[in-house]
Amino acid sequence: MKNKPFLLVANWKMNPLTLKEADRIIKSLEKGIRAMNKKDFFQKIDLVVCPPSVFLGRLPNSSGFNWGIQNIHWETRGAFTGELSVKMAEDARCQYAIVGHSERRKFFGEKDQGVNQKILSVLGGNLNPILCIGETKEEREQNKTNDVVKNQIYQALQNVSALNLPRIAIAYEPVWAISNMSNPAIQSSNNTYLNTADSPDDVMGVTILIRKILSQMYRSDITKKTKILYGGSVSQRNIDGFLDTDILDGLLIGGASLSMFEFLPIIKSCYENRSK
Ligand code: 13P
């Protein structure tokens, strides 16, 4: 039996398109969890749903999972058209904020410095940050994964006190491994899979590296309390491989979290793994 709850985060991204549809997804999620009939479910699984912000505070939640916001601004208030502050997310019942997702970095020009400002702002409030890091396909092919991961963590955690480490989750999401759920695995020349989820072995290697980076930065035992997650094309087909590594504290799930056909078996596998 593992003592801390497994952090299972559903990132809906820019889906679904209507409140009605979002409501339908949440209701089938709740129904699925109820049907599992596990009294200790939420002691084992910290389930976090991150819907589009416009739906936050407007969806049912009778079962006890948590809410997260997909992006946040670093300023507390003011003339920042289109942005949302930490207080607003808290007011909409969020406990978590995703920071530095690769889609934010790629499509909206987010840089490490801004990611750091957001982390500091989230920690200044009552939200827990889920910091996303990960290399691109080109960086992976050039064997730069370790350097990229190290650099992103160093930059994102500038001026973050060790005392805050238990509140932080670091999600390793290789950019090339995102949104490939339905692709067949094609092995590239250097033996890595670049159009599917990452391999559990490689994820294990990066998880160990992240722990090492944290202990170099902080030289303190408290780094063990930072949660390390994997994200990128997790599905009911490959979930067991990730859980079997026994090294991850959670998962960040995109596409599969919108379909209860996919997500409920994933949730069940996580619960069973946590109950061993
Ligand atoms: P997919 O699970 O759709 O690959 O998305 C992963 C992700 O980006 C979660 O933040």
Side-chain angles (χ1 to χ4, degrees):
M1 175 146 30
K2 290 134 192 169
N3 45 19
K4 52 183 174 180
F6 192 78
L7 182 57
L8 187 56
V9 186
N11 177 10
W12 286 4
K13 308 191 181 185
M14 203 166 73
N15 302 288
L17 299 187
T18 62
L19 180 63
K20 196 170 163 196
E21 179 64 4
D23 188 79
R24 194 193 59 74
I25 297 172
I26 290 293
K27 283 187 178 136
S28 30
L29 172 65
E30 294 202 299
K31 194 171 158 205
I33 294 171
R34 261 198 313 276
M36 282 175 60
N37 199 21
K38 304 290 181 200
K39 286 203 172 59
D40 59 353
F41 180 85
F42 288 109
Q43 277 124 51
K44 300 260 162 70
I45 306 289
D46 184 1
L47 179 62
V48 182
V49 179
C50 307
S53 305
V54 74
F55 301 147
L56 280 169
R58 300 167 74 197
L59 291 165
N61 182 0
S62 56
S63 43
F65 58 84
N66 288 313
W67 297 106
I69 191 159
Q70 297 177 16
N71 179 38
I72 198 87
H73 193 56
W74 58 79
E75 289 292 349
T76 50
R77 67 191 305 147
F80 300 98
T81 301
E83 295 295 330
L84 297 168
S85 74
V86 169
K87 259 273 175 285
M88 289 170 184
E90 287 171 13
D91 192 55
R93 297 181 288 158
C94 289
Q95 286 86 6
Y96 289 87
I98 298 176
V99 177
H101 192 282
S102 63
E103 285 148 17
R104 301 286 323 163
R105 296 178 193 252
K106 182 172 160 195
F107 299 119
F108 304 99
E110 268 189 27
K111 298 277 181 294
D112 289 321
Q113 195 199 353
V115 170
N116 175 239
Q117 285 173 290
K118 290 181 180 196
I119 293 279
L120 292 172
S121 167
V122 169
L123 290 171
N126 293 317
L127 300 179
N128 301 307
I130 301 166
L131 165 67
C132 297
I133 56 162
E135 81 286 0
T136 61
K137 181 167 176 272
E138 292 69 33
E139 290 162 343
R140 175 75 158 219
E141 285 171 335
Q142 293 162 15
N143 291 320
K144 288 186 180 161
T145 301
N146 292 6
D147 291 344
V148 171
V149 163
K150 187 168 180 183
N151 188 43
Q152 285 176 336
I153 294 177
Y154 263 92
Q155 305 239 21
L157 299 186
Q158 285 291 307
N159 300 317
V160 169
S161 124
L163 290 177
N164 275 321
L165 291 180
R167 289 173 61 194
I168 300 175
I170 298 181
Y172 171 56
E173 295 206 306
V175 180
W176 52 269
I178 292 176
S179 298
N180 295 326
M181 204 170 85
S182 46
N183 284 348
I186 294 179
Q187 209 166 3
S188 79
S189 50
N190 65 358
N191 219 26
T192 50
Y193 294 86
L194 292 175
N195 77 336
T196 181
D198 202 352
S199 73
D201 279 354
D202 286 352
V203 170
M204 215 151 95
V206 176
T207 306
I208 292 166
L209 173 74
I210 295 172
R211 288 257 171 251
K212 197 166 141 204
I213 295 166
L214 290 174
S215 59
Q216 282 165 353
M217 284 177 81
Y218 289 95
R219 301 185 183 284
S220 150
D221 249 22
I222 204 166
T223 59
K224 290 194 189 118
K225 302 217 163 148
T226 300
K227 291 192 169 180
I228 302 181
L229 281 49
Y230 166 74
S233 302
V234 175
S235 68
Q236 56 171 322
R237 249 184 324 146
N238 59 26
I239 177 83
D240 288 337
F242 295 113
L243 294 175
D244 286 348
T245 61
D246 251 346
I247 203 172
L248 291 166
D249 303 304
L251 292 163
L252 179 49
I253 306 201
S257 70
L258 286 152
S259 147
M260 287 312 120
F261 171 75
E262 276 291 335
F263 199 39
L264 288 172
I266 289 175
I267 294 176
K268 196 158 173 265
S269 295
C270 294
Y271 174 83
E272 279 164 7
N273 179 273
R274 232 40 189 179
S275 307
K276 272 185 203 161

